[in-house]
Amino acid sequence: MAAGKTEGRHDQASGLDERQPVDVLKVLADAQKAAAAVVDGALGDIAAAARLAADALLSGGRLVYVGAGSSGLMAMADALELPGTYGISRDRIVILLAGGAASLEDLAGGYEDDRDLAVSDASMAEIASGDCVIAVSASGSTPYALAIAAYAREKGAKVVSFANNPGAQLFDGADVSILLQTPPEVISGSTRMGAGTAQKIAFNMFSTLVGIHLGHVHDGHMVNLKADNIKLKGRACRIVSDISGVGLDEAERLLARSEGSVKAAVLLAAGAQDAGAAQAVLDRSGQSLRRALKALG
């Protein structure tokens, strides 16, 4: 069984366990910085992937995040944040983590080798053309991720692949391949470290750009957030105030009139007659607040 770069030996690993704690942490910190730096080489591919994912959502499809082990956790973390941050409906986001809920209590390795489980999960999720599947594997050879990516291609879905090894199997047939070529781990093979850091950064960038393409970001504000707690309701008020220039009390009143929609509240402040009129302008503007504000003149 050939070992990829994610299984290689780090040049600072020898004698690591004999060093002073602060020296060990310095080696680990430097390795994390080196892992983060590799993301710069994947910007074009991340941009292409975000465009594919946004187009899938705009066309009525879903995003299907797929992974196993630590890589699966990185994918799941990104997927879980999308509804709250960008107001994307939960039923448009699917998470296929090898082992499912059981892996959240015991991240056992056996699930990632189970191709039959992968095909069953993909079938249950009803992956179809119009969906965009985002598959991640540090090695790029995880059977669970490979099987679902193959299933998705057969069904006509778009496939985006993240991996940390060049020439990864997971890239075969993918519509977009994102190589995050991280150096060998300080703890050999512990890809929750450097590889996971690069994956997390890349996922953050990917999903943020998806949100921008969907019209859910305006001047750095998350204008389609789901304000379902005290903190987020306060944030929504501040966003409306910052964009429209009204005071916080007025922003709160506008949000009440718009049933919590930040975009509609801003449009009310800009002169929309009521929440229905504000929503109509947004619909005509493809949910872009900037275009909607220009339409109101």
Side-chain angles (χ1 to χ4, degrees):
M1 185 178 294
K5 290 185 179 296
T6 50
E7 296 292 330
R9 290 278 290 156
H10 193 276
D11 60 9
Q12 294 292 312
S14 181
L16 182 72
D17 50 295
E18 295 182 312
R19 298 187 191 185
Q20 291 299 309
V22 171
D23 293 337
V24 172
L25 294 177
K26 179 66 165 61
V27 172
L28 294 174
D30 287 346
Q32 291 288 289
K33 294 170 190 173
V38 308
V39 179
D40 284 349
L43 297 183
D45 293 325
I46 295 170
R51 184 70 264 175
L52 267 187
D55 287 346
L57 290 171
L58 289 168
S59 300
R62 302 170 301 165
L63 301 188
V64 183
Y65 284 77
V66 177
S70 298
S71 295
L73 294 179
M74 293 299 103
M76 183 178 70
D78 197 62
L80 289 174
E81 294 278 8
L82 291 178
T85 305
Y86 297 121
I88 298 171
S89 177
R90 183 67 188 83
D91 63 7
R92 308 288 294 284
I93 309 294
V94 178
I95 303 168
L96 299 182
L97 173 66
S103 285
L104 300 180
E105 295 182 2
D106 177 13
L107 205 57
Y111 296 122
E112 71 177 47
D113 296 332
D114 195 334
R115 289 178 176 269
D116 290 339
L117 173 65
V119 171
S120 175
D121 286 352
S123 178
M124 289 288 289
E126 299 182 331
I127 293 174
S129 62
D131 292 336
C132 180
V133 172
I134 303 119
V136 58
S137 162
S139 66
S141 59
T142 304
Y144 183 87
L146 290 172
I148 293 182
Y151 181 99
R153 289 194 297 273
E154 289 176 4
K155 296 297 182 181
K158 299 295 184 183
V159 176
V160 172
S161 295
F162 287 74
N164 298 80
N165 279 331
Q169 265 186 281
L170 194 58
F171 294 153
D172 295 344
D175 294 280
V176 178
S177 299
I178 298 172
L179 172 61
L180 304 169
Q181 194 170 348
T182 44
E185 303 288 358
V186 176
I187 309 302
S188 182
S190 183
T191 53
R192 71 184 183 89
M193 299 175 71
T197 292
Q199 290 168 3
K200 175 61 174 168
I201 294 170
F203 273 126
N204 286 349
M205 296 164 67
F206 161 78
S207 54
T208 298
L209 192 52
V210 170
I212 290 171
H213 286 322
L214 295 175
H216 298 336
V217 176
H218 183 96
D219 287 342
H221 289 302
M222 51 177 81
V223 290
N224 209 48
L225 85 165
K226 181 181 178 182
D228 57 2
N229 63 29
I230 293 172
K231 178 187 73 174
L232 293 179
K233 288 175 182 176
R235 181 180 298 165
C237 283
R238 291 191 296 275
I239 291 172
V240 173
S241 176
D242 186 64
I243 296 173
S244 67
V246 303
L248 290 175
D249 288 343
E250 177 62 12
E252 187 174 8
R253 286 191 288 271
L254 292 170
L255 281 164
R257 287 179 58 195
S258 69
E259 297 183 345
S261 168
V262 169
K263 292 181 183 179
V266 171
L267 293 174
L268 288 171
Q273 183 175 359
D274 53 34
Q279 190 57 55
V281 174
L282 282 169
D283 289 342
R284 292 196 297 272
S285 303
Q287 294 305 309
S288 167
L289 179 57
R290 193 173 300 280
R291 289 197 295 269
L293 285 167
K294 287 180 180 177
L296 278 180

